[in-house]
Amino acid sequence: MRVITTIKEMQHTMLLAKKGGQSIGYVPTMGFLHEGHLSLMEKAREENDIVVISIFVNPLQFGPTEDLSSYPRDFERDKELALNQQVDYIFYPSVKEMYPHSSSVTVKVNERTDVLCGKSRPGHFDGVATVLTKLFQIVQPEKAYFGTKDAQQVAVVEGLVNDLHFPVEIIAVETVREEDGLAKSSRNVNLLPEEREQAPNLYQSLLRAKEMILNGERNPQKVVSFITEMITEKTDGKIDYIEIYSYPMLKELTELHGKFIIALAVKFSKARLIDNIILEIYEK
Ligand code: PAF
């Protein structure tokens, strides 16, 4: 495994690999790798000749009240984990390398951003789209892997590559879960013991909602009310949002039909957890 820190070397190395007929699978990350990331690398390893990950904490996607400097970092540990996943290259640029001067061009995302987590993070997805545009040009992958846990990010990235015609296939990888169904997250360790016991109810409420829908419920409001009641009753968490939208366009729905997402965010005392399921219903 090689660590590359300059854009020039990364581009050159990838160009040689492509000339040699090798396929490139890419997992963009901000480091501090967890099991979700490892599952993306595993999938990339299965499907490509070369696996590249990047580790770059992107200042552009942090808001003025979000603390960029306290974002967790541990490169040595990340390197070890990537090595275990048989990653071939880590692209690990500095901020100066990625943003040597103030940007004369950035990417603005016009849709899919003013709902779910994007609502409270104005500009966040512009930062994500801008850095991914740069990273895709540097790594030039055939396939790029993203976790479905952050389904809004997947939707935005699909919009980016479709609208701007990037020759890269976006692969959305299933959320990794604990045995009791709780979505794995580095934030789960911040749950109090009783909150940890309650937290699987988030996914359970999504599964019960799915059951309701499969049994014929088509009213999104009724499904949202059901989930709200279940989470309020079974947890001490404070609901941030429970929303249903078409997927990946993230438009409001008056009736549950086609492909859609049920997503939620719940705040516990020291951890805000998110989860979602994506369903497809086509009446005969
Ligand atoms: O999901 C992340 O870690 C980041 O948003 C990404 C995709 C690496 C872009 O900085």
Side-chain angles (χ1 to χ4, degrees), residues 26-31 37 54 56-58 61-62 71 124-125 127-129 131-132 135 145-147 150 153 157:
Y26 173 43
V27 182
T29 83
M30 298 211 295
H37 294 117
S54 56
F56 178 63
V57 181
N58 173 35
Q61 68 191 73
F62 285 77
Y71 194 85
H124 167 70
F125 285 113
V128 171
V131 80
L132 286 177
L135 289 166
Y145 297 79
F146 293 85
D150 197 345
Q153 173 162 276
V157 175

